[in-house]
Amino acid sequence: MIDWLRRLWAAFESTVSPRHFYQLSGRWLPWFAWPAALLISVGLVWGLGIAPADYQQGNSYRIIFIHVPAASLAMGGYLLLAICGAITLIWRVKTAEMVAKAAAPVGALFCLMALITGSLWGKPTWGTYWVWDARLTSMLILLFLYLGVMALQNAFEEVSQGSKAAALLAVVGVVNLPIIKYSVEWWNTLHQGSTFRITERPTMPPEMYLPLLVMFLGLYALFASLILLRSRQEILQRERRSQWVRQLIEEPNQ
């Protein structure tokens, strides 16, 4: 039994090794990048140009086609950081460190995008760009958590020490995610509740939620593409002294 578990663990380690992940990500990347370009193009044209205006908010509601998927990705990106952080702290898998290093700036970018588009939406809806609303404040805290993770990743000369410190913050900071999600239910806030849920029938008409669904799929595919691309770059940087990386660099020059 123990030998079987050891062989299983060895197979797992080889699967998540930087070299194997680099090879797999190279095959996965086109399957995310091309659909991302197509879906985002269709979603933007459909949502910004074809979908009808809202009977209350007029055309200002169209910002949701960017804002809502960006906010979802900001939360999903941090959850990815927390998962990679737990794997780093418990099993010390180097690839998890590299994926976390690649994901942090991408997640922070989507979080900033959600805050900016939310402010642009808030001006015509609430009459102001910003209020210290529970949802907005917790999203701002999420951006600070992203920045803290990125700072810790680069604060130590020893890469592994920075990765562990950042992993710990990512795991602790995940408590902010349910606060963001349920803030509109726990507190009396200006921010409206969710109008689009995968497990429930949307409250929006099909001509509005279908382009939103397309944008969700497109931006999630873009997120995956950016993570894979940055992870590959991080692997080459961290493993540049490895024989397989040197061979990979030498092959195109032969």
Side-chain angles (χ1 to χ4, degrees), residues 38-57:
L38 177 62
L39 290 168
I40 291 174
S41 299
V42 172
L44 287 175
V45 172
W46 194 353
L48 302 183
I50 300 176
D54 184 73
Y55 75 99
Q56 286 183 325
Q57 301 182 43

Side-chain angles (χ1 to χ4, degrees), residues 63 67 114-133 136-137 190-191:
I63 199 74
H67 171 72
L115 288 169
I116 292 174
T117 53
S119 296
L120 294 175
W121 190 10
K123 181 61 175 177
T125 305
W126 305 331
T128 180
Y129 288 108
W130 182 267
V131 291
W132 291 102
D133 179 271
L136 274 66
T137 303
L190 289 175
H191 198 288

Side-chain angles (χ1 to χ4, degrees), residues 37-201:
L38 177 62
L39 290 168
I40 291 174
S41 299
V42 172
L44 287 175
V45 172
W46 194 353
L48 302 183
I50 300 176
D54 184 73
Y55 75 99
Q56 286 183 325
Q57 301 182 43
N59 287 316
S60 64
Y61 91 98
R62 297 182 191 277
I63 199 74
I64 70 169
F65 295 111
I66 299 174
H67 171 72
V68 176
S72 175
L73 279 165
M75 297 174 63
Y78 197 86
L79 180 60
L80 176 62
L81 287 185
I83 293 172
C84 290
I87 294 173
T88 297
L89 294 172
I90 298 172
W91 292 292
R92 301 179 182 179
V93 177
K94 286 172 47 177
T95 306
E97 298 179 13
M98 300 175 192
V99 172
K101 183 74 175 291
V106 180
L109 178 62
F110 278 101
C111 188
L112 181 61
M113 186 187 304
L115 288 169
I116 292 174
T117 53
S119 296
L120 294 175
W121 190 10
K123 181 61 175 177
T125 305
W126 305 331
T128 180
Y129 288 108
W130 182 267
V131 291
W132 291 102
D133 179 271
R135 172 65 65 82
L136 274 66
T137 303
S138 53
M139 279 296 293
L140 182 61
I141 292 173
L142 182 64
L143 178 60
F144 290 152
L145 286 169
Y146 270 117
L147 296 177
V149 168
M150 293 164 61
L152 288 174
Q153 287 172 338
N154 297 283
F156 296 85
E157 293 184 4
E158 183 63 35
V159 176
S160 61
Q161 292 181 352
S163 297
K164 291 177 182 177
L168 182 60
L169 176 59
V171 171
V172 172
V174 79
V175 70
N176 189 47
L177 296 185
I179 295 176
I180 296 173
K181 180 173 177 57
Y182 297 107
S183 57
V184 295
E185 300 176 14
W186 293 345
W187 294 284
N188 184 21
T189 69
L190 289 175
H191 198 288
Q192 68 184 63
S194 299
T195 57
F196 184 87
R197 296 179 181 178
I198 297 176
T199 57
E200 299 179 10
R201 184 176 181 178

